[in-house]
Structure formats: C-alpha cells, structure tokens
Amino acid sequence: MTTTVVPFPLLAIVQEAIKNLGLTDRRVHEADFWCSVLGPAPTDLVQGWKLHVSATPLSAPLVLHAAAQVLLRNRCEFKFAKDLERVEKLTSIQYDRAQAGKFITAYPADEEEFHRLAAELCDATAGMPGPKILSDRQYRPGSIVQYRFGAFRGVRVLTNDGALEARIQDPAGKLVSDPRKPWFTPPAWVSPLTPRGTGAATGKVATNGTGRTVQPGRPMLADGRFEVRRALRHTARGGVYQAIETSTGNSVLIKEARAHIGVNRQGRDSRALLAHEARVLAELSPLTPAVISLFEQDDHTFLAEQFIEGQSMARYVASGASALPDGMPPAGEMALALVRLVDAVHSRGWVLRDLSSNNVMITPDGKLVLIDPEFAARPGDIVSQVYTPGFAAPETLDAPSYGPAPDPATDRFAVGAMLIHLVLGQPPFFLTEHGDGHTLSERIRRLLVLLERQRPLVRRWWPLLTGLCAADPADRWTLPQAADFLRAERGTDAVATGRPPIELPALSRDEEQRRVLADGIDHLVSTMRLDAEWLWEQDGFGATTDPVNVQYGAAGVLPVLARAAGQGHPGTADALPIVIDWLRKRLDRTLRVLPGLYFGRAGTSWALREAADLLGDAGLAAQAEQFALRLPISWPNPDICHGAAGAGLAQLRLWQLSGRGEFLDRARDCADGLLEAAHRTEDGVFWPVPADFDSALAGAWHFGFAHGVAGVGAFLLAAGQACADSRYLDMATAAGQTLAAAAEIGESGSATWRTDRGAKASSKDMRYHWCSGASGVGSFLLRLAAVQADRAAAEQYRELVYAAALAVHEARWSSGTASCHGLAGNGQFLLDVLAEAEQADRPDAAQYRQWAEDLAEVLVTRHASQHGRMLVPDESGVRITAGYGTGLAGVLDFLLRLRHGGPRSWMIEFS
C-alpha cells in the first residue's frame, strides 16, 4: 500500500497568527510556489530595500512562526515558500546560487520601517539556522535576516527578447534590470545603507565564491597553502576550484560547501556531505583522487584533493572520441575497466547510488578514476533518494525520498546504462511514472533492438547490456559475470551475435507512432486552462515569456491543432474555436508589440490569419491583419525569432493570404532595412545584433536560422521572389555563399555549422539543429538552390543540403526532442529534402523518407508514460509542455506532416 505524505502546512502557521492577532485586513494569496500576505491594497512601491529571512527545511516552521508575528504586527506585506518541499528546493545544491535560501521576503514601506523590522526579525529568529543568501548582506553578523535593494512591485516590462520582467527605475526614471547576482551589488546610484546598532557599514565589495574579500591582483590563498588559480564551476553549495599547493607545486582540486545548504531530514548539510565524501575518497583510494586536506574557513568546509587530468566519460562520449559506430577496441577496453572499477568499490563495502558517466574520469593514458562519490553509502544506511536521469535503476526510481540505501545491484544497472551511453551517445533516459520498473527495462530492450541496426557493438554486447539493465535486481548480472563476458568477447569477430531471438513490443513502429500522435493531441485538447495566464501550463524560462507567442505559447499550438483537425483527430474541431477565442481576446493585451516570429507577435497574427481562412471567419481575418500592420518592421535585432526578419516573413505570409498590397510594401521596407543592416566581412555577410542593444543576444554574429545569416537570408530570398527584386536575391545569395564557406565537413561527408562567427567551435548539440546548426542552414540553402540561375552554385548548395541531412540523421540518437534544437525540427528539414527529391524525381528520395522515419522512431522511443498516455517530453527531458519550439506541439507537427504531408509551418513557399 502506498502511503500519501501530506505536505507540512506552512500556510496554516500564518493563518493561525492572523487569527490570533485579529487582523481582519490581511489576506493571503496562494500561488504555485509562494504564499503572499497582503493588505487591503497591494503596495505601490516600485523598489526599495527588501528583507529576506532564510531557513532550512527543518527550521522553516519555527522561522515562519517567529517572523510572521513580527511582520503581521507591523502590517508589512511579505511572501513565503508555501510548503517544505519548496523550502527544500530553495535550499538545495541545484538551486540558483544567487537566490538560494530566500524563504521569506518582506517589503518595508520606508527606510525607518526597514530598520525596525530588521531589528525585530533578528531578535525573533536569533539562533535559528538558515543559509547565507549570496545576493544579500546580513543585517547582523550571523543572522538569518538579510537584505538587498531590488524590485518590490517593479515596473513590468516586455524585454526585447520577449520575456516579462520586473524592472527598477534609476534616478532619471530610466528602467533598468534588477540583476540577482551571487554577491551583494546594490545599484551604484543607491545610497549605502548602514544597519543600526551594528556599526557595520555596507557597500559594494568584490568577493569570490567563498564570500571572502578578494584583493585585486592577488590570488586567493586557501588554508594558507593552496593558491587558487581558477574557478571550475559554482553551485548553491559552493565553488569548485583548481589550485596549486604552494609547498609542492602540485595541481589540486578544491571543493567548497556552505552552511545550511542541502540540509536533509537528519539535519546534515552540504558541509557534512563534503566531509563524508572525504571519508569515502580515503577508503576507496587509489580508485579515486587522493585526499590532501579537509579544512574549515569562514564557516565553510573545503576539501582539497588530487587534481585528475582528463575528461569525464560523459564529455568523452559527447566529443565523439569513442568512435561510436564501430569503436570496439576502445569501447571494449573502457567497458572492462569500468566494470572492474565499480566491482572494486563494492568489494570495499560501498554502494555509489548515483553512479553515472559524469562520475568517471578518463585520464590521458586511458585510466578510469572514480570522482565525486559524495552519495556513496553502506547498504542499509538511511539516506535521501538521489539519482541522475538515465542511469537510475527501477528500484531507485520507486524508492521513498528517505530510506535504506540499496544494495550493489543499483550500481550494476548504472554500469549497464553507462555502457549504453558509450555506444549510443546519450543515456537511456525515459520519463516514466512510478511503478514502471519493468516497463523501463522493456523500453531499454526496444532501444537496443533499434540500435543494433546501426551499432554492431550492440548486437555483440546484447547479453551484457540487457543483463545489467534487467528490471529485477535478482536477475541483474553481477560485475564479475560482466567482466568475464567482456574478456571473452574481445576475442570474437565482428559478425558474432549475442542477441537471441526476442519478441518486439506489442505495438509496431507504425502503431506506436499513431499512438504517440493520438495521445499527444488528446493531451493538448484536454489540458487547456481557459482562465489561466497560460492556456497550457508552462514553467522555467518559458513561463516568463508572452503566453500568446509561437515558441512557448498558444500561437504555436494553434496551427498544429488545425493540421490535426484536417486529419479528423478527435476533439480538435471543438478545440480550435476555443484556442482562437482565447488568443484573439489577448491579441491586443500587450505591454508592447515585438516583431519576432517566435517570441514576438508576428507569429501570433500569422496563426490567427491562417485560422480565419480555415474557419471562414472574416472578422478574425480583419483583426489579425490589422494587428500585423502594427508590427515593427525596422528593429535593431535583425533575426527571425526576435527581430525584423521575423516580422518581414509574417508580412509576406499575410500578403499571400489576403492579397493586400500594404503587406507587400511593408515586407519590401523590411527587406530594404536588412540590406542596410548587412555587415560585409572577409568571412562573408552577417547581420549582427548590435552590441549595445538591450538583449541577451547583443553582439551575436550567428550563422543559424533562428538568430543569424540563414534566417535573414531566407526572408530576403522570399522577399526577392515576392517583389521580383534582384537586390534581395543577390543578398540572399551572398548569405548562401557565407554559409557555404563556413560549412564544416566531417569524415562521413556530413556538414555542420558553428553557432557564431567569433567561436572557434560550437556546442556539439547545437551544430545539428534548426536554431543554430545544420537543419536550419540546410532549410535555407535548399530553397536558395531552387532559384539559382548559376548551376554550379545551385549544385554546391544542394550538396551542402544533402551533407546537412546526413549530419542530422547521424546525430539522431544524441539529439533532443524539440523543434528548435532537436529531432522535431531536424525531421522537418528532412521532409523538405524529401519533397524536393520527389519533385525532381531523384532516385534517392526514398532514402530521405527513411531518414525522416528514423528520426520519428527515435522520438517515439523517448515517449513518457504519463497517466496512460504516450507523450514526448520537452527539451528538458523531464517535463511535458505544449510549446511549439521546445515541447509537444513541435513534435506533433513533425509527425503529422510525416504521415500526411503538407507545407512546413512558419515557412514561406513560392511555386
């Protein structure tokens, strides 16, 4: 029987305090993460000095009880995390390190109230534990009451990047961002604030990750003997640094752990976890780095250990160094070394619990070294549940949040997953519901069946991989058994097979694809929230953007439902008017009209205008057209997603749909502006985002479709065709030449592009996709080749298109799911190539259909089991969201087009 744990009722503490104090003018607003305690009218203060009170999950009820009395008596508005689950998240080592610990936020009406509240809160919470908030300053030394200057209500703005943000005002009234840096950094124009009764003046100081003051030009000396050279990474827990031991000159790795971060139910925080890691390292040496020193400094714990040169197994696989298609010698040797390494850990009585490809380093001479064993435990120890998605055994996924540590079988499953990662290029991660342990292993077997077509090593290792990843721990191979297999297998020839005949899952590939489509569409239809800010639930960065945009919002889902309705999918015909009505009511509700196709309102007007034709709604058509005429067509950012090219593309589409000449005139004006904005360099023509533009993309010189040369070139090409203007066509050709010169050809003949002109290399994941890589560049070059009068140039572009198609097909197993940068967008490109090949009656057309089907098959293998539906997760791999660019809608659009044909969404085509 499953026991349901009711969340600890933090809200009840405040409600009881309100009742006891007789405060009838206080109201509590409960949201998803925060509860806010408000007066009769919300504060109208834009900004000021705000107070934060930190806590641990164990101290939170006491802290809230004490702080609420103070804040309620003083009639001060405040908010707090609604339950202990949220407090655990706020204080976890994964949380934003600048924000970690902000359990309660109070908004004093003026500076006098600020000091009174701060002093009373310090007295009321004295001695209670909570982490130091890195963005803040403590009001008194050692207090959990902390403060920073920032937005209260703020001024809500829609940024140039399409995100909703609360900004503050400088003395001249200019709106500026309110950055939450992991150090105390009030605006330069704010008068310093001095806590009363402490004598501690405050101001801006430079600190390192430990909170210690850094003297400019002088390296930090830790424990009096380690000279810190560079920070490798920072988390809420603390930094990880590379240092030199001054007495020996040896390179040292130093890990930092801050107080009261990552507190578990036993009251142990990240400092205790680091001390535990030091003990494990000492007991496992020399399988692990050697411990040099464990020391305390400024209330932080530090572990100095041997610095291991090399790269993690995860980075090794991502770099392609393992020669995945036929890399038997290095893969076999690495697999045997991994099995021996983990078996040696088990022989010493430890279970690693969170073993993954991130926890094993490969040294330059090929040796494997285990790193970061902080969660290692003795079987039966009471521990918190931890795992890395893709490497967790079924029993780990189904384990309670706290309970006995598992036996070594859980690590054996992780070893199997690491070997699959080695031959696949990504971990076998499937988002499943609890209790689906056997389903997880069946899906891994299905994955291996698909893989063996391209990976001979999978067929040879079949008994090993399925044995280590067996659902039942009792059936799982032992590590000595795995070592014996690998030693014997190294002598076999390449055609040997270890896979016995097996029955495939009950659903065929076609049936699975149909099921994923039907379930995905049903999910979209049934999860609309008509009274919410977002029609489909959204979180993360997406939740800060415009709810009616294409990338994350309802405008991206609408054409997908329309395409599904055209194929008779149940519920879609009824859903379409609902979505349209929801969008049209919000079309004019915007702080400002942004031009971009994906993050602005260009895509919204496009989607509504197409829907108007579908439904024969002249009123909707007029509304969409009128709004499209408001789109800015001159904009500092020239790109498709956020800028002018996106607005221009929408003008062309509305001209196609309406025949109104003003849309063509506006497209022409937009194209003229982009001609003027072009920068010619020795590397070709570019459309950079101005370095002084208020945007995260400021200074970018991108090649790709979303933000660079390919996208602007695609608009100019379409404008040249629509306007019969050779200037636009010539500039599109210059864009094509730029991209041809920048193509990077791999050993197989595949073509990829780096993201930015200034980058020597690009992230491997980004090189293949619509946003910044091969499928986006290929989508433009395919269309450019079709209108080239110069046959040699046309052939050059086509060859690059086919090379880009090869690249996205080769990268399918290591690609994410999304349309923006993943399989859905790459599949759309392959369908473009297929359409061109069929139109030209090319003999290789069938190959591109097969390649598109291969991508669809990989997408289907990624499906999640959620409430009886087969749903493809978004780009995070751990959530189901609806958005077109990153979530389910983009996946469904590709699968619908694959099965039923039709034009590509958000592209302009001319016959």
Side-chain angles (χ1 to χ4, degrees), residues 472-486:
D472 189 337
D475 296 335
R476 217 165 279 160
W477 274 25
T478 67
L479 294 180
Q481 186 179 1
D484 289 343
F485 173 88
L486 285 164

Side-chain angles (χ1 to χ4, degrees), residues 32 98 114 178 181 219 317 352 369 424 467 476 628 640 652 656 872:
D32 180 59
F114 168 88
D178 179 20
K181 300 291 186 182
V317 172
L352 295 168
V369 180
L424 171 59
R476 217 165 279 160
I640 287 284
L652 288 177
Q656 286 182 325
V872 176

Side-chain angles (χ1 to χ4, degrees), residues 711-726:
V712 177
F715 163 64
L716 289 173
L717 176 63
Q721 292 173 279
C723 301
D725 193 320
S726 62

Side-chain angles (χ1 to χ4, degrees), residues 352-354 375 383-388 392 396 401:
L352 295 168
R353 298 200 302 128
D354 190 26
F375 297 114
V383 295
S384 59
Q385 180 200 55
V386 294
Y387 65 87
T388 298
T396 298
S401 297

Side-chain angles (χ1 to χ4, degrees), residues 558-634:
L558 176 56
V560 180
L561 291 177
R563 195 188 289 264
Q567 299 302 324
H569 281 269
T572 51
D574 294 331
L576 276 175
I578 296 173
V579 179
I580 291 168
D581 185 62
W582 191 92
L583 276 169
R584 70 189 304 178
K585 286 179 179 177
R586 290 160 177 78
L587 186 60
D588 292 311
R589 298 182 200 169
T590 180
L591 296 173
R592 57 200 289 238
V593 178
L594 294 177
L597 185 62
Y598 283 77
F599 284 84
R601 291 290 177 101
T604 312
S605 55
W606 180 330
L608 287 174
R609 183 58 184 81
E610 286 188 343
D613 272 6
L614 180 67
L615 299 183
D617 187 334
L620 179 60
Q623 183 183 7
E625 290 171 19
Q626 196 60 34
F627 190 88
L629 292 172
R630 294 172 52 193
L631 293 169
I633 55 173
S634 176

